Amino acid sequence: VLPIRIVAQHVCAVNQSEDSGTSSAFLAATAAAGTGVELQTHFGTDPECRAALLAHGVPESAIPYDTDHGNLVNQTFENIHELEMAAERDLIEQYEREHGTAVPYPTSYDVVLGRGNPSQSWPGNLKLAEMIRDQEGRHKRAPDRIAKTAITVAIMAAVQTVGGRFLKRAEDGAWHEVDQDVAREKIAMSFRNSKRLARNDAARSSHDDKEG
C-alpha cells in the first residue's frame, strides 16, 4: 500500500462552544507538534459545514458520513481504497517503464531474501514463517523428496495467491523478483532452519535437565 501523508485535519462542530473550542485548541497543538498537519475548524449547521469543506476542496462525496441517517458510509472508504490501489499500480507501472523489471519497494505481502533482522522482521517473512510452522509436522512426515517439494510449492503458491513476491535487493539498491527455483529454495531453507532451531532447543533443554 502506498505511504500516506496527512496534510490537513478538518473538524466540524454545530457551534463554537467552550468545549469545542477546547477540543480545537488541543487538536491544533497536536497538529503543530512537529507533524506539519494543518488544522481547519468549521462551525455551523450541516449544510454550512459541508459548504466550508467544499470551499477547501473536500467534496460531499468524500465525507464518509450520512447525516440523514447518522451512519458511516462504507462505500466512501471502499472508493478511497480503490483509488489508492489504482495509484499504486500506476506508480509500479511507471517505475517498471523507467527501471525495467525492478520493483520500487516490497509490500507487506512480499518475502524479502537476505540475512539479518530487517529481512526476518518483514511482514511477508513473518507470514511465511507462520506457514512454515503450520506445515512443519507434515513436512517432517513426508515420505520422500517429491512430497516435501509439493509442500514447498504449495506454500510458494499461497504467498503468490495474495499478491506476494519473493524479492532480492541488487547492489544498486533496486528490488528484483527472483525465479521460481530460488523462491522454492528459500522455503526449503526455512524448513531446514526451523528443524535446526528445534534440535538446538531440544539439546539445551536436555542439558538444563541434566544440570538440574
Side-chain angles (χ1 to χ4, degrees), residues 202-212:
R204 281 195 296 269
S205 176
S206 176
H207 180 269
D208 292 341
D209 291 342
K210 292 179 180 179
E211 290 291 327

Side-chain angles (χ1 to χ4, degrees), residues 10-75:
H10 291 268
V11 181
C12 297
V14 175
N15 54 58
Q16 193 168 5
S17 65
E18 181 178 351
D19 292 339
S20 64
T22 302
S23 299
S24 297
F26 172 77
L27 287 172
T30 303
T35 64
V37 178
E38 179 184 359
L39 177 72
Q40 293 288 342
T41 54
H42 312 289
F43 301 99
T45 62
D46 175 66
E48 290 172 338
C49 287
R50 288 176 180 267
L53 290 172
L54 184 60
H56 284 81
V58 182
E60 289 192 19
S61 59
I63 303 174
Y65 187 74
D66 181 3
T67 55
D68 294 333
H69 301 90
N71 298 321
L72 288 174
V73 183
N74 292 330
Q75 187 62 40

Side-chain angles (χ1 to χ4, degrees), residues 95 103-104 169-175:
Y95 192 93
V103 177
R169 200 164 200 170
E171 293 182 359
D172 61 357
W175 292 93

